[in-house]
Amino acid sequence: MDQVNLKRLAKELNLAVSTVSRALSDSYDISIETKEKVLSLAKKLNYHPNPYARSLRKRNSNTIAIVIPEIANNFFSLAIGGIEEIAQANGYHVLIYLTHENHQKEAAFIRHLMSGRVDGVLMSLSSETDDISHLHELKEYNIPIVFFDRICESINTVKVTTNDYESGYQATKHLIEKGCREIGYLAFSKNLSIDQKRMQGYMDALKDQNIPVNDDFIIHCGNNSEENYSKIKSLLLSERRPDGIFASVEVLAILLYEACKELSLRIPADVKVISFSNLRTASLLDPPLTTITQPAFEIGKQAATALFGALGKTASELRDRKIVLTSTLIERESTRQLTRDKG
Amino acid sequence: MDQVNLKRLAKELNLAVSTVSRALSDSYDISIETKEKVLSLAKKLNYHPNPYARSLRKRNSNTIAIVIPEIANNFFSLAIGGIEEIAQANGYHVLIYLTHENHQKEAAFIRHLMSGRVDGVLMSLSSETDDISHLHELKEYNIPIVFFDRICESINTVKVTTNDYESGYQATKHLIEKGCREIGYLAFSKNLSIDQKRMQGYMDALKDQNIPVNDDFIIHCGNNSEENYSKIKSLLLSERRPDGIFASVEVLAILLYEACKELSLRIPADVKVISFSNLRTASLLDPPLTTITQPAFEIGKQAATALFGALGKTASELRDRKIVLTSTLIERESTRQLTRDKG
DNA sequence: CTGTTAGCGCATTCAG
DNA sequence: CTGAATGCGCTAACAG
């Protein structure tokens, strides 16, 4: 089947290519009759404008990129859903790039995006990233970027997060109020400001209650799940085992649960747990997991909305600002006692 | 900053545009010296070829599309991860389109993709889709499509699934072996062949054990979570409550757990549950969920690999065939008794 | 080994 | 209201 393009339509209708083009874009100076003729033929021949020709000509792509560490993660899946919804509503296409927490890949993706493939970028930093020259370069190309969750503080743009410091403070305070005095913290990455803030909240909450910070209780995890698991086990097996643990990210809470199970430690009798998490099954866990839940979908939507707000504009409409959404502490009490009594 | 393109490089080096182009693509008939000159200037000026100009010229996009119902779903997240890995390895870009189980959206996306925006499509059908004319149209445009999981039987192409019939049979047999005689089935969509097959496995397993199929035990769920929840509750409250339930998809298992909790029904004492599921926390649920786990990541990889195998080729290399991966029945026994004894 | 020429399909100026 | 001409940035055929 021959390509059906403007030239083809024009020939069949004895019109100029430019006329057909304008008719299809509903230009005001085309007669209604020719518009109808053009449109009906276009529909009949199943005409689809070539997006790459259009992008080349118009110097925009109607496409954005999402650059994130991983996707098999409740937070990011939900956020992508929010982004995609806004993108769809704006007629935009969404490219997705997974860095797998790898700085090299992240830099390569970002550098590629300087080619003009996308009109804007939505990004969450990889945990490995400490050098951010690639991000500065992208800015020089005038490609707008909006950060969400794992933001980059030192780039001037819109950053969408939750109230990480306050949440960390609140989580720790929650454990203290539950009677914990020896509270562990499972850290995820020194590079990420979200983790720094959550940890700062943790430390300040301890200080405010005159509980000394014990560095042995702060476990620095990384991207190796096996290693994280054994570090967590070590913590649980240490002489002075914590009576409460705050996991800064969901995946560490899951490992913690697994480790407790392996070691036959009871949650919350032996150790109380709270975690940042968007687990849908948090209330069904054994025992239920008390979480700091982020409005992930909304974060995606806000980030995308901020980006699209800047796309049409002239200057960098993305003036440096933070959009801070509020996460929710959801306490989930075990119903097991209840069930057992009934059983 | 002025655009840096081939013309610019050519001018600065007093070369023809075509020479620069060939030097950059490492053509064999360019002298090493000019190649080096070109490459060093390109690097110095931070040259990035315009992907849309290239796509327009070369009539390919180095891009594929993933069209799926949703993303906040363990199966699809994992599958996307697999797809993305293969795409990255092949230097391809990945566009993502979420249909939200909506047939209209699905058809609109597919029709848009006839424009040539992508070189191929990876797809999982929306549960609403019964009319598949859009898929036939896409085929006419010679855009290869590979289905995974929620395949479309009547389109001739590669289809990647798990052994759904056998898994359904096995799951049901498992419940029977556990002593269940009144086994419910939570169906997800009449349109989807995976559900039909799982259900057929369920029915055949019952028949083989001379257990009559009770239509009241087959609950047809949809895309409305509230409704599904109340249907599940009705099942659990029915006079002749099932003693075992097979959930055909993960989300229904979660609802089932929640309903049991609300009704203070004990799993597995009152009702045993098995489900298709890729929940990472299956073993941490209360009680642990016995699952049929699909190799979701591998499914994504296989689907992508099949698609890329066809991209370079001349004719439709996607001859009609099925790739069937094997899902795993993972039985998870409650350890609660154990824990309680120790406590 | 390198330059010239000719489009890919589209949108947009400039003429009528 | 419509047509002719131009070029977005790139690749590829054809010369030399």
Side-chain angles (χ1 to χ4, degrees):
Chain A
M1 182 162 62
D2 262 349
Q3 277 304 334
V4 32
N5 50 26
L6 288 185
K7 204 202 284 190
R8 167 92 178 276
L9 294 181
K11 201 196 279 180
E12 301 224 1
L13 291 167
N14 279 320
L15 287 172
V17 172
S18 56
T19 307
V20 177
S21 171
R22 274 174 292 204
L24 288 170
S25 55
D26 205 25
S27 170
Y28 280 111
D29 48 23
I30 295 287
S31 76
I32 302 210
E33 300 140 28
T34 50
K35 270 188 195 170
E36 284 175 351
K37 275 198 296 187
V38 169
L39 277 154
S40 83
L41 184 65
K43 181 160 291 180
K44 183 179 153 210
L45 296 186
N46 231 322
Y47 168 73
H48 294 276
N50 181 311
Y52 296 131
R54 171 180 297 193
S55 288
L56 178 59
R57 182 61 230 253
K58 299 194 37 172
R59 312 174 137 327
N60 78 356
S61 61
N62 266 266
T63 306
I64 60 168
I66 304 180
V67 180
I68 51 173
E70 52 168 343
I71 192 167
N73 171 308
N74 291 303
F75 176 79
F76 286 119
S77 315
L78 289 166
I80 291 172
I83 293 167
E84 213 268 352
E85 181 168 306
I86 302 295
Q88 254 185 55
N90 286 272
Y92 267 71
H93 301 261
V94 179
L95 282 166
I96 201 148
Y97 298 93
L98 306 182
T99 66
H100 298 283
E101 307 283 9
N102 180 323
H103 174 68
Q104 299 299 327
K105 279 192 178 172
E106 178 181 296
F109 289 143
I110 293 292
R111 293 218 163 82
H112 169 81
L113 293 178
M114 296 166 192
S115 65
R117 188 179 287 275
V118 297
D119 299 340
V121 178
L122 290 166
M123 176 157 182
S124 232
L125 282 180
S126 119
S127 61
E128 273 184 10
T129 298
D130 43 5
D131 167 24
I132 57 165
S133 49
H134 54 300
L135 301 173
H136 282 116
E137 286 176 38
L138 189 68
K139 272 241 114 180
E140 284 172 16
Y141 280 79
N142 281 319
I143 294 174
I145 185 166
V146 167
F147 293 100
F148 65 100
D149 197 52
R150 301 185 183 188
I151 65 175
C152 179
E153 299 276 3
S154 55
I155 302 278
N156 283 349
T157 183
V158 177
K159 296 146 190 168
V160 184
T161 64
T162 41
N163 53 344
D164 290 295
Y165 172 82
E166 292 79 3
S167 304
Y169 189 97
Q170 208 187 354
T172 310
K173 198 170 153 217
H174 178 84
L175 290 176
I176 296 170
E177 285 167 355
K178 290 286 170 189
C180 302
R181 282 296 171 274
E182 316 263 44
I183 300 177
Y185 181 83
L186 304 184
F188 179 56
S189 167
K190 291 178 191 181
N191 297 326
L192 297 177
S193 75
I194 54 164
D195 200 6
Q196 291 161 9
K197 290 189 170 169
R198 291 169 190 181
M199 185 148 72
Q200 194 59 51
Y202 156 81
M203 299 210 282
D204 287 356
L206 291 182
K207 275 175 199 151
D208 287 355
Q209 304 293 323
N210 294 313
I211 299 176
V213 175
N214 181 343
D215 279 344
D216 295 342
F217 282 176
I218 299 179
I219 308 299
H220 292 280
C221 298
N223 293 321
N224 184 323
S225 196
E226 315 282 312
E227 279 181 24
N228 293 344
Y229 189 69
S230 65
K231 282 181 183 172
I232 289 170
K233 273 210 297 194
S234 302
L235 175 67
L236 293 173
L237 291 169
S238 66
E239 223 171 325
R240 204 172 138 197
R241 169 156 51 77
D243 54 10
I245 297 181
F246 174 22
S248 65
V249 291
E250 180 178 298
V251 64
L252 296 177
I254 295 175
L255 289 179
L256 176 56
Y257 261 64
E258 286 168 351
C260 285
K261 206 173 169 187
E262 183 188 333
L263 302 175
S264 296
L265 286 171
R266 294 158 311 169
I267 308 170
D270 296 322
V271 51
K272 298 195 196 330
V273 176
I274 188 168
S275 176
F276 270 86
S277 168
N278 286 277
L279 259 186
R280 263 190 74 186
T281 52
S283 64
L284 300 174
L285 291 191
D286 179 22
L289 172 65
T290 293
T291 62
I292 305 282
T293 298
Q294 298 175 276
F297 190 85
E298 188 62 25
I299 288 176
K301 279 174 66 171
Q302 295 266 350
T305 302
L307 182 62
F308 285 122
L311 286 192
K313 311 306 163 98
T314 54
S316 182
E317 191 69 16
L318 294 172
R319 67 170 204 287
D320 193 36
R321 71 180 192 278
K322 290 192 182 168
I323 299 174
V324 180
L325 306 190
T326 307
S327 56
T328 314
L329 195 160
I330 306 178
E331 180 173 6
R332 297 185 180 84
E333 300 281 1
S334 176
T335 56
R336 193 191 299 179
Q337 295 295 334
L338 191 65
T339 316
R340 190 152 51 192
D341 289 349
K342 288 195 182 175
Chain B
M1 180 164 62
D2 262 351
Q3 276 306 329
V4 32
N5 50 28
L6 289 185
K7 204 200 291 192
R8 167 93 177 275
L9 294 180
K11 202 196 281 181
E12 301 222 2
L13 291 168
N14 279 321
L15 286 171
V17 171
S18 58
T19 307
V20 178
S21 170
R22 274 172 294 200
L24 288 170
S25 54
D26 204 25
S27 171
Y28 279 111
D29 48 23
I30 296 286
S31 76
I32 302 211
E33 301 140 29
T34 49
K35 269 187 194 170
E36 283 173 352
K37 275 197 297 186
V38 170
L39 276 153
S40 82
L41 184 66
K43 183 160 290 178
K44 184 180 152 211
L45 296 187
N46 230 320
Y47 168 73
H48 295 276
N50 181 312
Y52 296 131
R54 172 179 294 192
S55 289
L56 179 58
R57 184 60 230 251
K58 300 196 34 172
R59 311 175 134 341
N60 77 356
S61 61
N62 266 267
T63 305
I64 60 169
I66 305 179
V67 181
I68 51 173
E70 52 168 341
I71 193 168
N73 170 307
N74 291 301
F75 175 80
F76 286 118
S77 315
L78 290 165
I80 291 171
I83 293 167
E84 214 269 351
E85 181 169 305
I86 301 294
Q88 255 185 54
N90 286 271
Y92 266 71
H93 301 261
V94 179
L95 281 167
I96 202 149
Y97 298 93
L98 306 181
T99 66
H100 298 283
E101 307 282 9
N102 179 323
H103 173 69
Q104 299 299 325
K105 280 192 177 170
E106 178 182 296
F109 288 143
I110 292 292
R111 293 219 163 80
H112 170 81
L113 293 178
M114 296 168 194
S115 66
R117 187 179 287 274
V118 298
D119 299 341
V121 178
L122 290 165
M123 176 158 182
S124 232
L125 282 179
S126 118
S127 61
E128 271 185 10
T129 297
D130 42 5
D131 167 23
I132 57 165
S133 49
H134 54 301
L135 301 173
H136 282 115
E137 286 176 39
L138 188 69
K139 272 243 114 180
E140 284 171 17
Y141 279 79
N142 281 320
I143 295 175
I145 184 166
V146 167
F147 292 100
F148 65 100
D149 198 54
R150 302 187 183 186
I151 64 175
C152 179
E153 300 276 2
S154 55
I155 302 276
N156 284 347
T157 183
V158 176
K159 295 146 191 171
V160 184
T161 63
T162 40
N163 52 344
D164 289 295
Y165 172 81
E166 291 79 3
S167 303
Y169 189 97
Q170 209 188 354
T172 310
K173 200 171 151 213
H174 177 84
L175 290 176
I176 296 170
E177 284 166 357
K178 289 286 169 189
C180 301
R181 282 296 169 275
E182 314 264 44
I183 300 178
Y185 180 83
L186 304 184
F188 179 56
S189 167
K190 291 179 192 181
N191 297 325
L192 297 177
S193 75
I194 54 164
D195 199 5
Q196 291 160 8
K197 291 188 172 170
R198 290 168 190 183
M199 183 150 71
Q200 194 60 50
Y202 156 82
M203 297 209 282
D204 287 356
L206 291 182
K207 276 176 198 150
D208 287 354
Q209 304 293 323
N210 293 315
I211 299 176
V213 173
N214 181 343
D215 279 344
D216 294 344
F217 281 177
I218 299 179
I219 308 299
H220 294 279
C221 297
N223 293 320
N224 183 324
S225 196
E226 314 283 309
E227 278 181 26
N228 292 344
Y229 189 69
S230 65
K231 281 181 185 172
I232 290 171
K233 274 209 297 193
S234 302
L235 174 67
L236 294 173
L237 290 170
S238 65
E239 224 170 326
R240 204 172 139 196
R241 168 157 51 76
D243 52 10
I245 297 181
F246 174 23
S248 65
V249 292
E250 178 178 299
V251 63
L252 295 177
I254 295 175
L255 288 179
L256 176 57
Y257 262 65
E258 287 169 349
C260 285
K261 205 172 170 190
E262 183 188 332
L263 301 176
S264 296
L265 286 171
R266 295 158 310 171
I267 308 170
D270 296 322
V271 51
K272 299 195 192 334
V273 176
I274 188 168
S275 176
F276 270 85
S277 169
N278 286 278
L279 258 186
R280 262 191 75 187
T281 53
S283 63
L284 301 173
L285 291 193
D286 179 22
L289 173 63
T290 294
T291 61
I292 304 282
T293 297
Q294 297 175 276
F297 190 84
E298 187 63 25
I299 288 175
K301 279 174 66 172
Q302 294 265 351
T305 302
L307 182 61
F308 285 122
L311 285 192
K313 311 308 163 104
T314 54
S316 181
E317 191 69 14
L318 293 173
R319 67 171 203 287
D320 193 35
R321 71 180 191 278
K322 290 192 181 169
I323 299 174
V324 180
L325 307 189
T326 307
S327 56
T328 314
L329 196 160
I330 306 177
E331 181 172 6
R332 299 186 179 84
E333 299 281 0
S334 177
T335 57
R336 192 191 299 179
Q337 295 295 333
L338 190 66
T339 317
R340 189 152 52 192
D341 290 348
K342 288 196 183 176

